[in-house]
Structures are given as structure tokens and as C-alpha cells.
């Protein structure tokens, strides 16, 4: 049986801003767009205490917490801090699976012959804090599900063990909506069948649960019992695409504004490609119109690229050819057909 950690950076985007701006420590912080259509990306725990949540309209968040400090999303900074905390984690184990920009799974079997899992988790948490200034919560379990539930159990800066012996006291009393892989609609459906806490899943047959939820039912049936032996996958699957876009404050047909956004998005996408050591071969421009209809135009390039100039050239060309002088509501640039960059390739290849 493996010993697995799930490391979840606490309020990651907002915490990065607190490290970069020490003067805002202990103040409510919200990350997101302040435009009239803007939404909250995340908020620190101080702001959450006022009822602010991710995906909430920004105007509503500021009604709940009018004195909050608001920052736009700053992906280059978050990607740097992601790299910094992952560097720390990999000093303890090479079996690391990146789950997202702010979380990862770690197999620590290489260390548990010498130290207990809790001591290892404590040292990782302390070192991340010392090196980056960021806090994290860590779950310890015998599989990935239990480790994930452990990291969610106590925030911020929690360390929670979630083994088979912890099912009755820690896992089963939790509300069904707190279970990993259970969203709002699934939780509502389960409550209709009198499944209100995770422990209720233990008293329902596999057949009935699969009738209610299909294949997901089988997964929940096993997870509720602490079953599962998923391995930590050290090599992360490549993303299918990288994209960046914006919904404008007002519908616009201003070519100067749109080209300015194309330039900005292209530069940021290029930075992300380089941070993750990726290269792309497809560029797509997505436009949303005032009636909410969306049109996509794409261009496959005959070579792989990472530079912003290539993205700007083709995105601008597609805009001028297909959408010039049309009023639009939102604009997004995607790059796709990604692969790991070939370090041996040169401009002469």
C-alpha cells in the first residue's frame, strides 16, 4: 500500500499577490476582472469570510466586501511560483504528478522507511513556506482520493491523515457535496435519493449507485470505502491547448483595441509555452458576438512555434480577414497541437 500526499496551495493566486505586496497582508484580497461582466477567479480566506467565492460576479463580491483589494489575474507570476513550489516538492520525491497550477500528488514511499508520512508532510510544508512565502494544506492517504480528501479537510496550513482507519470518524460524516468528483448537480441528484453524507454511500449497492450515476457511480462506490490503487503518474499529459481571452466592458468594433488585445494575449501565451517547455502548431481565434453566438477561425502552421510574433501575425490576419469592423463581445486566442519542445531544433531545422 502506497503513502501518497496531496499538496494544495492555499488560495494560491491571492497568496502570491500577498507575497508580492506585503502591505496587503491580513486584508481581504480578490483576484478577477472588475469589468461589469467580470467574475471572481479566487479570493483569500479573509475575503471568503465575507461570503466571496470563486465564479461569483465581481459586482456581487464587492457588495459583500467593498473594502477588498482587487488584482487582475497575473499568470506569469503564478506560473513562476508554481515552478518554485514544485522545485521544492521534487527535492523530496521524483514521483510527482501535477494536478493543476496549485496542486500535486506525491508518492513518498522512498522516504517512509526512515520517516513517518506526517513528518515528511510537515517538512515539505515548512520548506515551501520558507522558500516561497506560500502556505499549503497536505493530505496523507493510501490512495489519491483519500489524500485529496485529506488536503481539503483542514485549511489553511492543515496536515491531515486519511487512511482506512479514518473512514468512520473523518470521511463518512462529511457532506456529500464535499466529496471529490461530486459537483453541485451530482450532489443534488444524490440527495434526492437520501444520500446526504459520504457515509450514506456505504449503505447503497453498487448496482443502484450505477443506475443513478452511471460509471461515476462505481467510482464513488469505491472511493467512499477507501478503495482504489491509482498510481501517481509522474509524467503529466500535455494540455490540448493554451488559451487566453477577455470579455469586453462594452461591445466593440474598434480595431485598435482589438489588435492591442491580440498583441497582449499572444505575448502571454508565448510566455506560457516557454514556461512549460511546449511548442504549438495551430492558432485559433474565437469571437463572441453581442447575440452570444461564437465563431472560430483557425490556421495550422507548417512548423512548430513558441514566439509571440507568429501568434500575433496569424491572429491579426484572421481578425482582419473574417471579423474586421464587426461588433464583438469577447475575444479569445488558442494555440493547439502542442508537444514538448525539441531542445535540439534550431531555426535552420
Amino acid at each position: 500500500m502506497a503513502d501518497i500526499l496531496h499538496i494544495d496551495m492555499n488560495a494560491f493566486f491571492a497568496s502570491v499577490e500577498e507575497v508580492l505586496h506585503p502591505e496587503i497582508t491580513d486584508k481581504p484580497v480578490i483576484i478577477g476582472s472588475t469589468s461589469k461582466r467580470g467574475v471572481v477567479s479566487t479570493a483569500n480566506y479573509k475575503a471568503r469570510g465575507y461570503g466571496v467565492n470563486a465564479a461569483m460576479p465581481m459586482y456581487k463580491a464587492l457588495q459583500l466586501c467593498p473594502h477588498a483589494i482587487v488584482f487582475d489575474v497575473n499568470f506569469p507570476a503564478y506560473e513562476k511560483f508554481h515552478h518554485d513550489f514544485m522545485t521544492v516538492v521534487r527535492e523530496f520525491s521524483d514521483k510527482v504528478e501535477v494536478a493543476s497550477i496549485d496542486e500535486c500528488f506525491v508518492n513518498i514511499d522512498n522516504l517512509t522507511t526512515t520517516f513517518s508520512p506526517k513528518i515528511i508532510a510537515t517538512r515539505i510544508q515548512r520548506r515551501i513556506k520558507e522558500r516561497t512565502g506560500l502556505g499549503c494544506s497536505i493530505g496523507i492517504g493510501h490512495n489519491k482520493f483519500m489524500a485529496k480528501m485529506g488536503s481539503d479537510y483542514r485549511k489553511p496550513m492543515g496536515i491531515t491523515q486519511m487512511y482506512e482507519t479514518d473512514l468512520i470518524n473523518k470521511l463518512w460524516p462529511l457532506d456529500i457535496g464535499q466529496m471529490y468528483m461530486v459537483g453541485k448537480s451530482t450532489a443534488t441528484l444524490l440527495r434526492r435519493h437520501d444520500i446526504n453524507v459520504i457515509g450514506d454511500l456505504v449503505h447503497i449497492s453498487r448496482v443502484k449507485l450505477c443506475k443513478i450515476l452511471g460509471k461515476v457511480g462505481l467510482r464513488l462506490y469505491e472511493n467512499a470505502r477507501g478503495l482504489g490503487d491509482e498510481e501517481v503518474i509522474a509524467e503529466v499529459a500535455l494540455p490540448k491547448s493554451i488559451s487566453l481571452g477577455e470579455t469586453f466592458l462594452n461591445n466593440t468594433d474598434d480595431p485598435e483595441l482589438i489588435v492591442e488585445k491580440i498583441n497582449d494575449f499572444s505575448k502571454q501565451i508565448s510566455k506560457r509555452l516557454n514556461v512549460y517547455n511546449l511548442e504549438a502548431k495551430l492558432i485559433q481565434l474565437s469571437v463572441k458576438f453581442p447575440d452570444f453566438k461564437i465563431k472560430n477561425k483557425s490556421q495550422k502552421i507548417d512548423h512548430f512555434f513558441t514566439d509571440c510574433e507568429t501568434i500575433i501575425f496569424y491572429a491579426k490576419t484572421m481578425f482582419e480577414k473574417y471579423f474586421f469592423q464587426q461588433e464583438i463581445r469577447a475575444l479569445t486566442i488558442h494555440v493547439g497541437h502542442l508537444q514538448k519542445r525539441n531542445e535540439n531544433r534550431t531555426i535552420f531545422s
Side-chain angles (χ1 to χ4, degrees):
M1 185 179 293
D3 286 296
I4 294 172
L5 307 182
H6 180 261
I7 302 174
D8 191 349
M9 304 305 292
N10 298 148
F12 181 55
F13 291 2
S15 296
V16 168
E17 298 298 347
E18 290 183 51
V19 171
L20 295 175
H21 306 278
E23 69 276 8
I24 67 171
T25 302
D26 296 326
K27 295 180 180 179
V29 176
I30 300 173
I31 308 298
S33 172
T34 55
S35 72
K36 67 180 181 181
R37 294 169 178 161
V39 296
V40 174
S41 176
T42 190
N44 69 358
Y45 292 97
K46 197 85 171 180
R48 293 179 194 184
Y50 290 87
V52 177
N53 294 304
M56 174 182 288
M58 184 61 75
Y59 77 86
K60 184 176 180 181
L62 292 176
Q63 286 175 351
L64 294 170
C65 189
H67 57 295
I69 299 168
V70 181
F71 290 92
D72 285 329
V73 176
N74 182 2
F75 279 113
Y78 308 150
E79 286 161 351
K80 177 191 177 299
F81 276 84
H82 164 82
H83 178 269
D84 291 347
F85 89 76
M86 289 303 304
T87 298
V88 173
V89 173
R90 290 192 172 100
E91 291 174 358
F92 289 83
S93 173
D94 59 358
K95 294 182 179 178
V96 179
E97 178 180 341
V98 178
S100 71
I101 195 170
D102 62 351
E103 59 180 324
C104 65
F105 292 97
V106 190
N107 183 309
I108 55 169
D109 286 348
N110 61 312
L111 298 172
T112 50
T113 55
T114 307
F115 304 102
S116 72
K118 192 163 187 179
I119 287 175
I120 297 165
T122 301
R123 290 185 179 181
I124 292 174
Q125 186 185 66
R126 184 187 304 131
R127 194 171 297 179
I128 289 174
K129 184 71 173 178
E130 289 171 350
R131 294 268 192 90
T132 70
L134 301 175
C136 65
S137 293
I138 302 179
I140 309 168
H142 58 276
N143 60 37
K144 287 160 71 172
F145 169 77
M146 296 291 280
K148 169 68 176 172
M149 293 303 297
S151 68
D152 286 340
Y153 194 80
R154 188 176 292 113
K155 291 183 177 182
M157 292 294 287
I159 295 178
T160 304
Q161 296 188 139
M162 196 74 80
Y163 289 102
E164 286 180 305
T165 53
D166 299 301
L167 288 171
I168 295 174
N169 294 325
K170 290 181 182 176
L171 185 69
W172 290 352
L174 295 176
D175 185 89
I176 193 64
Q178 293 177 263
M179 190 175 188
Y180 179 48
M181 292 181 62
V182 174
K184 288 184 179 180
S185 59
T186 301
T188 299
L189 180 58
L190 289 170
R191 289 191 180 99
R192 289 178 191 154
H193 291 81
D194 294 322
I195 301 170
N196 298 300
V197 296
I198 295 175
D200 291 337
L201 292 170
V202 180
H203 306 295
I204 188 170
S205 72
R206 180 191 284 113
V207 173
K208 183 175 180 181
L209 198 53
C210 288
K211 282 184 178 179
I212 298 171
L213 296 175
K215 291 181 180 179
V216 175
L218 177 60
R219 186 74 176 272
L220 298 189
Y221 177 90
E222 294 178 343
N223 286 345
R225 291 162 173 77
L227 304 176
D229 56 357
E230 284 185 289
E231 294 184 7
V232 171
I233 304 170
E235 184 60 37
V236 185
L238 295 178
K240 293 182 179 179
S241 66
I242 293 177
S243 60
L244 196 65
E246 181 177 318
T247 299
F248 296 112
L249 179 62
N250 298 299
N251 300 331
T252 183
D253 59 1
D254 181 354
E256 289 188 7
L257 172 62
I258 295 170
V259 169
E260 179 185 333
K261 293 298 180 183
I262 287 174
N263 291 341
D264 181 43
F265 298 160
S266 299
K267 290 173 183 176
Q268 293 192 53
I269 290 171
S270 175
K271 286 181 181 179
R272 292 194 208 177
L273 286 170
N274 286 291
V275 165
Y276 292 111
N277 196 33
L278 296 172
E279 54 189 7
K281 206 171 185 180
L282 179 80
I283 299 170
Q284 177 176 294
L285 189 68
S286 295
V287 168
K288 182 185 287 186
F289 296 100
D291 61 1
F292 290 88
K293 289 183 179 179
I294 298 174
K295 285 188 178 180
N296 301 315
K297 294 295 179 182
S298 61
Q299 176 69 55
K300 188 174 181 180
I301 316 303
D302 60 5
H303 61 275
F304 283 96
F305 61 87
T306 62
D307 60 292
C308 65
E309 290 82 8
T310 298
I311 306 171
I312 290 171
F313 174 78
Y314 285 101
K316 185 179 174 184
T317 299
M318 285 186 283
F319 163 68
E320 292 174 345
K321 182 176 180 180
Y322 299 108
F323 305 113
F324 190 70
Q325 293 185 331
Q326 295 185 57
E327 193 173 57
I328 66 175
R329 174 184 172 88
L331 178 77
T332 303
I333 296 176
H334 314 259
V335 296
H337 293 187
L338 304 182
Q339 68 171 27
K340 281 288 185 181
R341 186 164 61 229
N342 183 351
E343 299 295 349
N344 296 320
R345 183 181 289 117
T346 72
I347 59 173
F348 301 106
S349 299

